[in-house]
């Protein structure tokens, strides 16, 4: 009987859709069991299986895939994330952005989707391998827009296809504007000429007759709407029918209503109430013409907002002269290979990143560092592709090409920052979701109100005011307010040698109250020199230096290098080192030629039980003079005190003074002895000092500063600064520092000039002020003028707004926002110049 039941009741498939996720960190069967356990705990999850060999987890899941990704993360493993970038054509306003983001976010597996109106670019974050590009493109097409292959971030890609597409779009808009104006001019002349010059109206009606004059206007208006104005109907009506109207739909409804009403007035006036057969062809054609004009100006302005990226991409030369078989061969940029030797002549740009192998010159690196003074280069020096050779000729061996070059990485950083959405954008996103439908609703209410309550002929008043409401509403300005300011601001920052790796840092940097700086390599040049060696009684100075330098030769620390350099300068050899051990933040220890040697801070000797009090007074004196004392112990006895000094950067005092003048608290966080740190702080005017901080303690120091003063920006350059850079509200890395520090930071100062910190803060405040201005204009414009267009002020003696004036106002609102954003090209102040550059 049981068998019969099984036969009669087919197996019901498990609910949910199949999901397969890559999982990082799986190393054993226990890992597999743990991941399976957390996935089975998800509501509705079934058919859970994790494969250690393939590193994938499969299951059926009715809920969002993000739940499975989060569960795997909580178990201690990771699902690698991928970012798919795609350009989207056809977006014209904030409603378009909201629509595209909505359809992309609804795709199975998508964690988040961000669309930027100013760049026309969408970025979709999703688990690696889970979302196909074809699915993304299909979703964009279903939403009514055109997916395009993104312009490559590789600086070597030529031409910049994104810029070329935008230029083509601007030119197409210009042509359509000229066509619309040419066809609209006779319509305006026939209609409005009669109002301005009654004799002209009599002459036209006498020559053509009223009906023939109306037919001429109808033919010309049809040409305007069907030819240059067709884009509004082609894009707007499908979106309207899908239930997601946009700016194009508003224009199509407004211009189309005026045109159809006028057409009925010409061809069948009897179907309209007596006295209402008026012509509004001039409103229809001028709406299209003025909005095309506004979009043309907008497209030209948008091109300028992305000028910084275009200039960066254009720095890479199209061709390079490669030395092959002793002869110069000109090859395209894409043909360069790692290891090629490239010849660069005076006045030419360096073709790729590499090492100078012969010759010498001065190279203008302002495109990377923001510093206009050329830098001397000789054999063995690194060169950056895109920089300008100003004097001599040289050969370089190519070290990286294409997407791996510094220039390509800068372009990617700037593009990522320009595509970011700031927290302030959240308000705009909430409003734009319902803005266009609300405008259409307001237009319907306006029509109904005027038709029911307006003076005779009420139908004419109702139509004109409803069209004015449709046309004057401008979601374009709201959509452009934030991204255009970000684009121009981050581009201007890149020109100054300041790279925002995270666009959100623009907003956070404005709110910073404390700037905390690492000392070595940030405030100082990071090239310490040995200034003092005081031997304890019974020890010879040269012997101590020989043993200490031998031990420190195993260390990469700048202080270690200074001790080694001092021994080399005295001609002291190196001993044999064994059992070397380094204690970060404390010192080093090991055996040298049979002696047990320790070099480090006082706390290191205390921990090892070595008495160091005999030289404490000398250590205090050296610290007060701004030098860093270190103790040397041999075979368990205090042998000497050495001191190193790191020269302060020439621009440090001025940079600190400027930050303090702006009302910021300036603090120093360093692992150096308190006396040495206080000495440097006194010279620079820094009052908040946290000294003798171990690498792990810098995070605690940042937290303490935040608790006392507010948001913290931390500036550092070393590996040990990475945790503090990540913890700070804004991490600022010196571009001449380690890769780990740069990767942990939100902002990178490419030149290392400390004056760039104040420039970045000034720029951040200017960008946020500009965004607030744009948003105020965008919202105030709509809030103030939509009621005027609806005629709400007319009963109180206020004006009625012509649809033509409404079209002009709408077109100018977007242009205003873009023009205001372009003012940021002069923001940020002077470009900082390091005083230690050689003059040319």
């Amino acid at each position: 009987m049981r068998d019969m039941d099984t036969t009669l009741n087919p197996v019901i498939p498990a609910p949910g859709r199949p999901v397969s996720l890559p999982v990082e960190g799986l190393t054993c069967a226990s890992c597999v069991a743990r991941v399976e356990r957390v996935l089975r705990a998800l509501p509705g999850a079934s058919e859970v299986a994790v494969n250690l060999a393939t590193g994938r987890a499969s299951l059926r899941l009715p809920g969002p895939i993000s739940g499975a990704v989060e569960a795997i993360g909580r178990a201690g493993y990771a699902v690698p994330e991928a970012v798919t970038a795609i350009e989207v054509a056809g977006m014209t306003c904030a409603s378009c952005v909201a629509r595209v983001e909505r359809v992309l976010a609804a795709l199975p597996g998508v964690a988040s989707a961000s669309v930027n109106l100013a760049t026309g670019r969408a970025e979709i974050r999703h688990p690696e391998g889970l979302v196909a590009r074809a699915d993304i493109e299909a979703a964009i097409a279903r939403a009514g827009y055109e997916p395009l292959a993104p312009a490559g971030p590789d600086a070597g890609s030529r031409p910049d296809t994104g810029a070329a597409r935008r230029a083509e779009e601007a030119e197409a808009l210009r042509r359509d504007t000229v066509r619309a104006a040419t066809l609209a001019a006779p319509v305006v002349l026939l209609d409005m000429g009669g109002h301005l010059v009654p004799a002209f109206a009599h002459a036209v009606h006498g020559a053509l007759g009223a009906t023939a004059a109306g037919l001429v206007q109808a033919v010309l208006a049809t040409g305007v709407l069907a030819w240059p104005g067709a884009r509004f109907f082609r894009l707007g009506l499908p979106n309207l029918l899908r239930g997601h109207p946009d700016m194009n739909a508003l224009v199509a409804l407004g211009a189309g209503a005026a045109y159809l009403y006028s057409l009925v007035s010409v061809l069948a006036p009897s179907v309209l109430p007596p006295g209402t057969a008026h012509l509004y062809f001039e409103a229809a054609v001028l709406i299209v013409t003025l909005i095309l004009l506004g979009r043309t100006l907008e497209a030209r302005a948008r091109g300028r907002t992305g000028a910084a990226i275009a200039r960066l991409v254009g720095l890479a030369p199209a061709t390079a002269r490669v030395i092959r078989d002793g002869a110069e061969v000109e090859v395209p940029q894409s043909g360069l290979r790692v290891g090629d030797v490239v010849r660069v002549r005076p006045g030419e740009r360096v073709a790729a990143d590499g090492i100078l192998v012969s010759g010498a010159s001065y190279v203008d690196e302002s495109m990377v560092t923001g510093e206009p003074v050329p830098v001397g280069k000789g054999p063995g020096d690194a060169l950056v592709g895109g920089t300008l050779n100003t004097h001599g000729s040289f050969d370089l061996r190519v070290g990286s090409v294409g997407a791996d070059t510094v220039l390509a990485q800068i372009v990617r950083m700037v593009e990522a920052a320009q595509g970011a959405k700031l927290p302030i954008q959240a308000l705009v996103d909430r409003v734009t979701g319902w803005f266009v439908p609300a405008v259409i609703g307001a237009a319907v209410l306006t029509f109904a109100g005027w038709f029911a309550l307006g003076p005779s002929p009420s139908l004419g008043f109702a139509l004109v005011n409803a069209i004015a409401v449709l046309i004057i509403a401008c979601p374009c300005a709201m959509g452009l307010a934030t991204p255009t300011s970000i684009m121009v601001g981050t581009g201007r920052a890149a020109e100054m040698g300041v790279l925002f790796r995270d666009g959100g840092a623009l907003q956070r940097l404005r709110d910073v109250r404390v700037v905390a700086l690492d000392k070595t390599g940030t405030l100082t040049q990071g090239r310490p020199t040995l200034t003092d060696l005081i031997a304890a009684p019974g020890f010879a100075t040269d012997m101590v230096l020989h043993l200490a330098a031998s031990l420190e030769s195993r260390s990469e620390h700048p202080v270690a290098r200074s001790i080694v350099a001092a021994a080399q300068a005295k001609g002291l050899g190196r001993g044999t080192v064994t059992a070397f051990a380094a204690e970060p933040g404390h010192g080093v220890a090991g055996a040298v030629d049979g002696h047990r040697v320790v070099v480090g801070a006082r706390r290191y000797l205390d921990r090892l039980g070595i008495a160091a009090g005999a030289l404490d007074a000398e250590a205090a004196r050296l610290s007060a003079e701004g030098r860093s004392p270190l103790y040397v112990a041999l075979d368990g006895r205090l042998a000497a005190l050495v001191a190193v000094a790191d020269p302060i950067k020439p621009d440090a005092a001025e940079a600190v003074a400027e930050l303090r003048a702006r009302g910021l608290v300036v603090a120093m966080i360093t692992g150096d002895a308190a006396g040495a740190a206080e000495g440097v702080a006194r010279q620079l005017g820094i009052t908040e000092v946290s000294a003798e901080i171990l690498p792990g303690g810098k995070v605690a120091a940042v937290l303490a500063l935040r608790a006392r003063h507010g948001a913290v920006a931390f500036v550092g350059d070393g590996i040990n600064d990475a945790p503090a850079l990540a913890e700070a509200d804004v991490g600022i890395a010196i571009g001449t520092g380690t890769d780990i520090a740069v990767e942990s930071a939100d902002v990178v100062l490419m030149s290392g000039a400390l004056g760039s910190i104040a420039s970045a803060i000034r720029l951040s405040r200017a960008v946020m002020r500009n965004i607030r201005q744009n948003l105020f204009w965008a919202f105030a414009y709509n809030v103030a003028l939509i009621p005027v267009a609806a005629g709400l002020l007319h009963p109180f003696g206020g004006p009625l707004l012509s649809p033509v004036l409404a079209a002009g106002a709408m077109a100018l609102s977007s242009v205003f926002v873009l023009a205001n954003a372009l003012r940021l090209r002069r923001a940020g102040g002077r470009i900082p110049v390091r005083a230690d550059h050689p003059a040319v």
Side-chain angles (χ1 to χ4, degrees):
M1 189 68 181
R2 190 178 293 120
D3 292 341
M4 185 179 295
D5 289 342
T6 303
T7 305
L8 294 175
N9 293 285
V11 176
I12 299 173
R17 61 180 178 275
V19 175
S20 178
L21 297 170
V23 181
E24 290 182 338
L26 297 175
T27 58
C28 63
S30 296
C31 302
V32 170
R34 179 165 175 74
V35 173
E36 287 183 345
R37 191 161 53 247
V38 297
L39 291 177
R40 286 195 184 99
L42 293 172
S46 61
E47 300 179 16
V48 175
V50 177
N51 189 308
L52 179 61
T54 62
R56 299 190 74 86
S58 59
L59 70 159
R60 295 189 73 91
L61 192 66
I65 293 173
S66 57
V69 174
E70 291 168 4
I72 293 171
R74 288 195 300 271
Y77 305 93
V79 175
E81 185 180 68
V83 178
T84 299
I86 190 166
E87 291 199 12
V88 184
M91 296 190 300
T92 57
C93 66
S95 294
C96 303
V97 170
R99 167 72 175 150
V100 175
E101 284 185 346
R102 200 158 47 239
V103 298
L104 291 176
L107 284 174
V110 170
S112 67
S114 177
V115 179
N116 189 303
L117 178 61
T119 61
R121 187 180 177 97
E123 287 193 351
I124 303 94
R125 296 183 179 275
H126 54 84
E128 189 177 292
L130 200 61
V131 180
R133 185 180 185 87
D135 294 338
I136 294 173
E137 293 177 346
I140 293 172
R142 285 196 303 273
Y145 304 93
E146 182 184 359
L148 302 170
D154 174 356
S157 60
R158 289 189 167 276
D160 177 7
T161 54
R165 276 196 292 265
R166 286 188 286 275
E168 289 173 6
E169 180 186 353
E171 177 59 23
L173 282 166
R174 187 196 66 79
R175 288 195 302 267
D176 281 348
T177 301
V178 171
R179 292 164 181 161
T182 302
L183 293 172
V187 177
V188 175
L189 184 64
L190 286 172
D191 185 88
M192 304 189 72
H195 295 298
L196 298 175
V197 183
F200 177 78
H202 294 312
V204 169
H205 290 164
L208 299 176
T211 301
L215 287 172
V216 170
Q217 291 186 50
V219 171
L220 292 171
T222 302
V224 171
L225 269 64
W227 189 15
R231 66 174 64 223
F232 301 113
F233 297 89
R234 186 175 62 252
L235 298 172
L237 293 182
N239 285 334
L240 182 64
L241 295 175
R242 292 187 187 101
H244 302 286
D246 60 359
M247 187 66 228
N248 295 302
L250 295 181
V251 176
L253 286 173
Y259 170 79
L260 289 175
Y261 186 91
S262 303
L263 199 62
V264 171
S265 297
V266 170
L267 300 179
S270 60
V271 305
L272 297 173
T276 62
H278 301 296
L279 301 186
Y280 299 104
F281 286 124
E282 93 289 349
V285 298
L286 284 177
I287 286 169
V288 169
T289 303
L290 289 173
I291 291 176
L292 283 172
L293 174 61
R295 288 198 180 174
T296 301
L297 297 174
E298 180 183 319
R300 291 177 60 187
R302 279 202 215 184
R304 290 197 294 273
T305 64
I309 287 282
R311 281 195 295 272
L312 284 172
V313 171
L315 289 174
T319 60
R321 275 187 298 276
V322 179
I323 308 301
R324 289 179 179 163
D325 299 325
E328 293 183 12
V329 180
E330 191 166 282
V331 301
Q333 175 74 217
S334 58
L336 281 179
R337 298 291 180 266
V338 173
D340 282 345
V341 175
V342 176
R343 180 154 295 164
V344 184
R345 294 173 179 170
E348 295 180 343
R349 291 199 175 271
V350 179
D353 297 358
I355 301 296
L356 194 149
V357 293
S358 67
S361 183
Y362 282 91
V363 177
D364 180 354
E365 296 183 330
S366 58
M367 51 76 74
V368 175
T369 65
E371 298 181 11
V373 180
V375 181
K377 298 288 184 179
D381 289 338
L383 291 162
V384 176
T387 53
L388 179 65
N389 178 26
T390 60
H391 282 67
S393 176
F394 57 83
D395 295 344
L396 85 152
R397 179 169 284 105
V398 175
S400 56
V401 295
D404 296 327
T405 62
V406 169
L407 182 57
Q409 292 169 29
I410 291 173
V411 170
R412 283 198 296 273
M413 283 189 197
V414 176
E415 283 185 337
Q418 290 183 342
K421 284 204 172 187
L422 304 193
I424 197 172
Q425 182 73 17
L427 172 64
V428 180
D429 291 341
R430 286 198 298 271
V431 171
T432 54
W434 53 262
F435 181 78
V436 172
V439 169
I440 294 174
V444 171
L445 290 175
T446 299
F447 183 90
W450 278 95
F451 186 72
L453 305 173
S456 181
S458 61
L459 181 59
F461 280 107
L463 181 68
V464 168
N465 290 320
I467 292 173
V469 169
L470 289 171
I471 298 303
I472 204 165
C474 188
C476 309
M478 290 190 290
L480 291 169
T482 301
T484 50
S485 297
I486 295 174
M487 280 188 71
V488 181
T490 51
R492 170 61 178 153
E495 292 173 351
M496 298 165 60
V498 178
L499 296 181
F500 283 86
R501 298 184 68 247
D502 170 19
L506 266 174
Q507 183 165 342
R508 297 196 302 276
L509 193 57
R510 176 202 60 177
D511 300 324
V512 159
R513 295 292 173 264
V514 186
V515 177
L517 302 108
D518 172 52
K519 183 176 81 69
T520 304
T522 301
L523 289 169
T524 63
Q525 294 181 5
R527 297 191 296 270
T529 56
L530 185 70
T531 58
D532 300 88
L533 194 158
I534 302 168
F539 290 92
T541 300
D542 283 355
M543 182 193 73
V544 172
L545 181 57
H546 160 71
L547 294 173
S550 298
L551 180 66
E552 292 284 18
S553 66
R554 294 292 190 92
S555 172
E556 291 298 320
H557 196 282
V559 170
R561 289 197 292 270
S562 71
I563 295 174
V564 172
Q568 289 173 339
K570 297 189 73 172
L572 301 176
R574 293 186 189 177
T576 302
V577 180
T578 57
F580 176 83
E583 290 276 347
H586 288 81
V588 294
V592 181
D593 296 339
H595 293 280
R596 180 65 182 167
V597 183
V598 176
V599 182
R602 169 64 187 268
R603 58 181 174 269
Y604 193 27
L605 270 67
D606 290 343
R607 202 180 80 183
L608 296 175
I610 300 172
L615 294 176
D616 278 351
E618 291 292 342
R621 176 182 64 80
L622 293 170
S623 293
E625 294 173 0
R627 303 174 192 179
S628 301
L630 292 171
Y631 294 83
V632 181
L634 299 181
D635 300 320
R637 295 171 55 206
L638 179 66
L641 180 73
V642 298
V644 296
D646 189 1
I648 295 173
K649 287 182 177 179
D651 62 342
E654 181 184 353
V656 169
E658 185 171 2
L659 291 171
R660 294 184 63 188
R662 293 187 169 275
L664 296 166
V665 175
V666 182
M668 179 198 297
I669 301 175
T670 178
D672 279 358
E678 292 286 356
V680 172
R682 277 195 301 274
Q683 294 180 60
L684 297 178
I686 297 174
T687 54
E688 295 252 357
V689 179
S690 299
E692 300 183 15
I693 302 295
L694 299 178
K698 290 188 176 182
V699 170
V702 168
L703 293 172
L705 286 170
R706 182 186 293 144
R708 289 202 303 274
H709 302 290
V712 178
F714 181 80
V715 188
D717 73 321
I719 293 173
N720 61 342
D721 295 324
L725 287 166
E727 174 59 39
D729 297 274
V730 181
I732 302 176
I734 302 297
T736 52
T738 65
D739 291 342
I740 293 176
V742 170
E743 287 299 319
S744 301
D746 305 304
V747 183
V748 180
L749 308 181
M750 293 298 292
S751 67
L754 294 176
S756 300
I757 302 170
S759 297
I761 292 173
R762 279 198 304 271
L763 187 64
S764 167
R765 292 176 176 177
V767 168
M768 297 311 300
R769 185 165 56 248
N770 192 271
I771 288 173
R772 287 197 303 272
Q773 292 165 354
N774 283 347
L775 288 175
F776 173 80
W777 167 261
F779 281 97
Y781 164 89
N782 284 292
V783 169
L785 292 187
I786 288 177
V788 175
L792 294 182
L793 301 183
H794 189 64
F796 309 101
L800 288 176
L801 197 62
S802 160
V804 174
L805 292 177
M810 192 279 286
L812 289 176
S813 66
S814 297
V815 175
F816 173 87
V817 165
L818 286 159
N820 189 47
L822 287 171
R823 293 191 306 115
L824 289 170
R825 291 188 295 179
R826 298 184 298 274
R830 63 181 177 82
I831 294 177
V833 180
R834 280 169 55 182
D836 58 344
H837 268 312
V840 177

